[in-house]
Amino acid sequence: MTSKIRGKVPVYAVLRAATAGGALASGFVQTYVFARVLSPEQFSIYIVIGSLGVSLWLFDLGVAKVLFVQLREAFLKGRVGPGAEGEKLPVQAAGIALIYAIVVGAGALLCFAVVAAGTSRGSLEATHEALLFTYTALNLVWFVLRNVSVAGDQFIFFESLDAVRRIGHISLIFCLFLPISFLSFMLWSNLLWAVLFVVLLARLGRLGLLRWEAGRMAQTSAAFFRRHRSALWSSGRYALGEMYIYTFPSLLVPALHGLGGPTIVFDTVFKVFRGATVVFSAACDLLVPMQTRAFAAGDTAGLRKRTLQALIAGLIPAICLSLILAVAGERLFGILLGSAAQVPPAFNYVLIVLVFANLVQTVSNFVLVHTGFFRPIGRLATGVALLMTVVAALDALLHLSLLGFAVLYTAAYVSGAILYVVLAARYPLAGHRPHG
């Protein structure tokens, strides 16, 4: 690791901790405010729409991570930068970002059309839900640009913008307590997104990490998919499995357990679980630049050391969150939801198990993904998704309670987390290189 990168780590740590905390706070603030300004039915409908928007983020199918691995290698070798005019990767990165932006726009239009034609709530409500879908789905494009930024050592600039995004969006959510309409809230939220995209795209373009060449984008993007089709197939299987694992409960619970209380309860509990994922991902993000440099240099001992540091960094918030859930979980959920719904106390202990399982899975997944081991994680993700299908079938056939479903889901998730640890220990942490 160069002294230049080493010097950036403390600043990056502060910024990444702030954005991770902002992501966690944003979910809680949204729950707190929506529970008080919306009816339980409307709240649960917006939960479903928001879940669909978030799930679109996983439409990426692992492409951004394959792009990261290739772009990071090229950047470390000096092939990507302001003077590297012939390199295709920046053009391919721009093409992929554009494709995802088109996907988000198409999804928003489809959302509007379905709500307007299929319900009696009218065009205004359809506009609300299309804007909410856009607000959540733009994470798909942001995710691609985040990987491009980190690949080019622009992690501090990106996290600075992400901190602005978090602060801005949280502030706008609180504005719903003021006499402004939901439509105004959504318009301002999406406008903030637009400003941040303009600033980030300009920066990445100046540094040569993105290159907007209309005549080459389609051709070079197609070449990227052809050249890396094996890795993309495996990463796609992994991403589909992850999408299924993390999003099917948000659709299954409303379908089998009903809108209103059950959906609100599960969404609130799941927000804590996914919020923990954001925190652990932030801890792992701090080590990615150093892990990838160690892996590129063949320094297996250094890779192990950085991975252990990521685990320790995540263990601290995991213990703190678990203590809060054990001691004051019931009170915390009561404050968040008010009279909208009540979370059974047993969910606190389910969450504690999920939190620690998520920690070890996140650390393992980060080292596997960022070193290019897409084939083994693709196979494993497919297997875990099949296990989750069994959980869903049992819920439907046995008419389980919401807590019963959560316990089965947790058991399946823990099994998958253990297997991801085994893969990390067997492949990158043992000094192996990826093949295809």
Side-chain angles (χ1 to χ4, degrees), residues 24-87:
L24 190 61
S26 180
F28 290 149
V29 167
Q30 182 173 297
T31 296
Y32 180 85
V33 175
F34 280 18
R36 286 158 176 80
V37 302
L38 301 173
S39 69
E41 181 181 1
Q42 192 64 62
F43 185 13
S44 58
I45 291 171
Y46 283 2
I47 286 170
V48 174
I49 296 295
S51 297
L52 289 173
V54 170
S55 69
L56 191 66
W57 167 62
L58 294 166
F59 169 87
D60 169 68
L61 298 182
V63 174
K65 288 305 180 185
V66 176
L67 177 65
F68 170 87
V69 171
Q70 301 302 317
L71 196 59
R72 181 65 173 164
E73 180 183 4
F75 177 79
L76 291 175
K77 292 180 178 178
R79 300 201 322 264
V80 170
E85 298 298 331
E87 178 61 54

Side-chain angles (χ1 to χ4, degrees), residues 110-387:
L110 180 61
C111 179
F112 177 88
V114 169
V115 174
T119 70
S120 59
R121 292 197 295 274
S123 59
L124 179 60
E125 186 62 32
T127 302
H128 287 174
E129 296 182 12
L131 287 171
L132 178 62
F133 178 91
T134 303
Y135 167 72
T136 55
L138 280 172
N139 282 286
L140 172 65
V141 188
W142 197 244
F143 180 66
V144 175
L145 298 180
R146 182 183 191 284
N147 280 276
V148 172
S149 301
V150 175
D153 282 344
Q154 293 302 301
F155 39 83
I156 289 180
F157 184 79
F158 179 89
E159 292 303 329
S160 300
L161 288 184
D162 209 35
V164 172
R165 174 174 77 97
R166 295 296 183 187
I167 293 170
H169 282 155
I170 289 173
S171 301
L172 287 168
I173 291 172
F174 274 120
C175 285
L176 284 171
F177 283 132
L178 302 175
I180 71 166
S181 66
F182 193 84
L183 178 62
S184 297
F185 158 67
M186 290 279 45
L187 287 171
W188 281 106
S189 296
N190 283 298
L191 179 61
L192 176 58
W193 262 127
V195 172
L196 293 172
F197 274 116
V198 169
V199 173
L200 181 58
L201 290 173
R203 170 82 168 211
L204 297 179
R206 284 196 304 272
L207 295 173
L209 295 170
L210 289 179
R211 193 163 291 126
W212 302 94
E213 298 180 11
R216 298 178 62 207
M217 286 172 67
Q219 181 182 358
T220 56
S221 297
F224 177 84
F225 285 98
R226 284 196 303 270
R227 181 177 179 182
H228 304 292
R229 59 181 176 271
S230 177
L232 289 166
W233 168 250
S234 296
S235 67
R237 290 173 62 190
Y238 165 69
L240 279 173
E242 289 287 284
M243 177 175 66
Y244 183 73
I245 291 164
Y246 287 108
T247 60
F248 90 89
S250 298
L251 303 177
L252 183 76
V253 168
L256 296 184
H257 299 272
L259 290 170
T263 297
I264 294 171
V265 165
F266 194 83
D267 175 73
T268 305
V269 170
F270 223 57
K271 270 192 173 73
V272 177
F273 173 46
R274 297 307 303 271
T277 306
V278 172
V279 173
F280 302 150
S281 295
C284 293
D285 280 336
L286 298 177
L287 280 304
V288 165
M290 293 171 277
Q291 284 176 312
T292 50
R293 284 180 180 272
F295 186 74
D299 181 8
T300 303
L303 179 62
R304 291 173 182 166
K305 177 182 177 181
R306 300 307 180 188
T307 304
L308 179 60
Q309 288 174 340
L311 179 63
I312 293 172
L315 192 60
I316 297 170
I319 293 173
C320 292
L321 179 57
S322 298
L323 288 174
I324 291 171
L325 289 169
V327 174
E330 189 173 358
R331 183 184 225 176
L332 171 65
F333 289 128
I335 293 171
L336 285 174
L337 293 176
S339 60
Q342 184 175 3
V343 177
F347 268 103
N348 295 320
Y349 302 101
V350 171
L351 262 176
I352 291 172
V353 175
L354 279 173
V355 163
F356 282 100
N358 186 249
L359 170 61
V360 296
Q361 174 165 316
T362 301
V363 172
S364 302
N365 282 5
F366 259 68
V367 69
L368 285 161
V369 167
H370 290 93
T371 53
F373 285 93
F374 298 111
R375 183 177 294 177
I377 60 175
R379 289 195 296 262
L380 178 53
T382 301
V384 176
L386 290 174
L387 182 58

